Amino acid sequence: MNWVSIGSLSDIPRRGARCVDTPEGKVAVFRTQDDQVYAIDDHCPHKGGPLSQGIVHGTAVTCPLHSWVISLETGKALGADEGAVRTIPVRIEGERLFIALEALASRAA
């Protein structure tokens, strides 16, 4: 896999996110309270809200537009809502964060 550096763990606050522009669109990279890191498409499956601006709780994020809750582990909407976003593999080496761009390209094809 082609891993691309996107910064360091300390660039993302606990229970926060940052947005990364890629050739395949924006990716939201999240850090949980216990330092787990997840990457998903930065748009809610409901109305396209910016998930990177949502509230992180546990291993989920709540969309800032209409309060849909999206699993950071699976990309699926939780509760009664239906829909999903792509998940992107993340690798951590020390403090450095990497995402797999091939996963984006293969899912976009």
Side-chain angles (χ1 to χ4, degrees):
M1 231 179 254
N2 183 24
W3 296 94
V4 176
S5 177
I6 57 167
S8 68
L9 183 63
S10 60
D11 292 338
I12 305 172
R14 285 193 169 104
R15 293 181 20 197
R18 70 179 286 214
C19 186
V20 177
D21 285 318
T22 75
E24 302 299 332
K26 293 184 179 196
V27 172
V29 183
F30 297 89
R31 179 180 178 189
T32 66
Q33 180 64 35
D34 57 354
D35 294 329
Q36 296 177 66
V37 179
Y38 298 94
I40 61 176
D41 282 334
D42 189 29
H43 64 271
C44 181
H46 176 229
K47 298 268 185 178
L51 294 175
S52 61
Q53 295 176 27
I55 297 170
V56 178
H57 44 96
T59 56
V61 61
T62 298
C63 180
L65 293 185
H66 301 104
S67 299
W68 275 40
V69 179
I70 307 298
S71 167
L72 297 175
E73 296 171 309
T74 66
K76 294 180 181 177
L78 301 175
D81 299 321
E82 294 182 12
V85 295
R86 292 184 296 182
T87 59
I88 296 94
V90 176
R91 187 171 80 190
I92 304 172
E93 290 182 7
E95 273 286 308
R96 302 297 305 162
L97 299 176
F98 299 84
I99 60 173
L101 287 186
E102 281 112 356
L104 290 169
S106 65
R107 292 180 189 178

